[in-house]
Amino acid sequence: MRLTHRYLPGACVITIDGEVDITTSRELENYILLVRRSLDDHLVIDTGRLAFLDSSGLAVLLAAVLAQARGVAVHLAGLQPRVARILEITGALAAVRTYDHLEQALAAIERMTVAGFTEPGLGPA
């Protein structure tokens, strides 16, 4: 697994390349904790290169959702069908915003910020 990140106004974007399973989920968890500047920033996870996600990786993503400040969200971009299926059957899709492409997630965050939405479930996704 390879992890990279970048900061944008109001957001931290983390890209996951590879697989997140029991042997790598702790690394992802530590990385998220290390690179997040603030719980007040949206967290965007670019999953376009995420080939596999097991239950331990899912737990890490859900922990990130629970840690978010009120008014911001965790956004998943580029979900691959296999990963999307895991999120769907576990009900985790209800806890995150999903987008086909990273650019769509970033545009949605910008719209939320400009429009002043204070809850992740309100406004355009």
Side-chain angles (χ1 to χ4, degrees):
M1 176 181 68
R2 182 172 181 262
L3 301 169
T4 57
H5 71 281
R6 64 183 166 137
Y7 300 115
L8 300 172
C12 176
V13 179
I14 296 175
T15 300
I16 305 171
D17 190 347
E19 298 183 354
V20 179
D21 59 24
I22 192 71
T23 63
T24 59
S25 60
R26 176 66 77 183
E27 180 183 351
L28 175 61
E29 180 179 33
N30 290 336
Y31 192 83
I32 290 171
L33 293 172
L34 178 69
V35 302
R36 289 175 84 182
R37 295 178 296 193
S38 168
L39 296 178
D40 293 323
D41 282 348
H42 291 269
L43 178 61
V44 180
I45 310 269
D46 182 355
T47 62
R49 295 186 205 120
L50 177 61
F52 178 77
L53 178 75
D54 76 357
S55 60
S56 65
L58 178 61
V60 170
L61 293 180
L62 292 176
V65 170
L66 292 174
Q68 287 298 110
R70 189 176 184 113
V72 296
V74 173
H75 307 260
L76 301 180
L79 282 176
Q80 299 302 307
R82 188 173 182 179
V83 174
R85 180 70 178 135
I86 291 169
L87 294 172
E88 179 184 357
I89 63 175
T90 60
L93 279 178
V96 296
R97 291 174 171 262
T98 60
Y99 306 88
D100 292 335
H101 305 284
L102 178 60
E103 295 76 20
Q104 292 171 322
L106 298 177
I109 290 169
E110 185 175 336
R111 285 192 306 273
M112 290 172 68
T113 302
V114 169
F117 292 109
T118 60
E119 294 294 323
L122 298 177

